[in-house]
Amino acid sequence: MASSSSFVSSSQYCPRWKYDVFMSFRGEDTRKTFTGHLYEGLKNRGIFTFQDDKRLEHGDSIPEELLKAIKESQVALVVFSENYAASRWCLNELVKIMEYMKEENGQIVIPVFYNVDPSHVRHQRENFAKAFAKHELKYKDGVERMEKVQRWRTALTAATDLKGYDIRQG
């Protein structure tokens, strides 16, 4: 990961970035462990990080405030964990992150594979396969809804094509 000074200095000279880092993660998997510690570490180094502590991960729509935070962040750290794909919210957030990155505004997406094999994310295997089986069962009765599931799959695969970090313990 880049040094904290490069995040901070570049954001000072580029007023379009409100946040240095946006963190996308499955709260129940990592909030009290990895992402909680990561957030504190970034904050202690002066890296202005958006972490949505208040959200309730119900439903499909992402609040406008969250979309704005994604768009106004120079870096998106996407922490893939065991149950990341079980959350429609996380998957919708990932689709938006990858869309904004494609707009070539200079945003960087860094995937972090926390206690998951990157190939399981890329090919939707193991827990990712189970989550997608549930999503497909729920959304099987509509072309538009199945297209949404396909966008989630495409975003997961695209994110795993990026340089990231494999952090497995055990």
Side-chain angles (χ1 to χ4, degrees):
M1 189 179 332
S3 72
S4 60
S5 60
S6 67
F7 278 138
V8 174
S9 63
S10 61
S11 65
Q12 288 171 345
Y13 299 109
C14 187
R16 72 175 176 217
W17 305 122
K18 183 173 181 182
Y19 302 100
D20 297 312
V21 176
F22 178 92
M23 287 180 36
S24 175
F25 60 96
R26 178 75 164 143
E28 70 183 41
D29 285 354
T30 66
R31 183 185 313 278
K32 293 181 179 163
T33 56
F34 180 73
T35 54
H37 296 300
L38 180 59
Y39 175 80
E40 286 302 315
L42 293 170
K43 188 173 85 171
N44 290 341
R45 290 187 174 262
I47 299 171
F48 193 43
T49 303
F50 184 91
Q51 174 181 293
D52 187 3
D53 282 328
K54 301 172 206 108
R55 77 174 176 210
L56 298 173
E57 296 181 13
H58 299 293
D60 285 337
S61 60
I62 299 175
E64 194 62 38
E65 161 197 357
L66 204 55
L67 292 174
K68 193 171 184 223
I70 293 168
K71 201 167 209 164
E72 294 176 342
S73 297
Q74 185 177 11
V75 174
L77 275 177
V78 182
V79 181
F80 294 111
S81 58
E82 194 173 321
N83 296 301
Y84 186 91
S87 168
R88 295 180 316 233
W89 186 289
C90 287
L91 293 169
N92 285 328
E93 201 173 80
L94 179 64
V95 167
K96 287 300 178 189
I97 288 168
M98 299 308 291
E99 282 175 7
Y100 292 151
M101 186 193 78
K102 275 187 183 172
E103 291 176 7
E104 297 184 15
N105 293 323
Q107 288 173 303
I108 299 165
V109 178
I110 302 172
V112 177
F113 303 94
Y114 181 73
N115 286 337
V116 293
D117 185 320
S119 71
H120 294 172
V121 180
R122 171 186 293 277
H123 302 292
Q124 287 95 60
R125 294 186 184 133
E126 303 286 327
N127 280 6
F128 286 78
K130 291 175 190 169
F132 272 91
K134 287 180 182 175
H135 294 315
E136 287 172 349
L137 190 60
K138 179 178 176 123
Y139 289 156
K140 71 179 190 261
D141 296 329
V143 172
E144 193 175 301
R145 296 175 112 198
M146 285 305 286
E147 286 172 355
K148 176 180 268 208
V149 173
Q150 188 54 50
R151 284 193 300 274
W152 293 340
R153 287 186 180 281
T154 301
L156 280 170
T157 301
T160 60
D161 284 341
L162 303 171
K163 182 168 174 43
Y165 295 91
D166 183 348
I167 302 170
R168 284 184 263 181
Q169 301 171 340

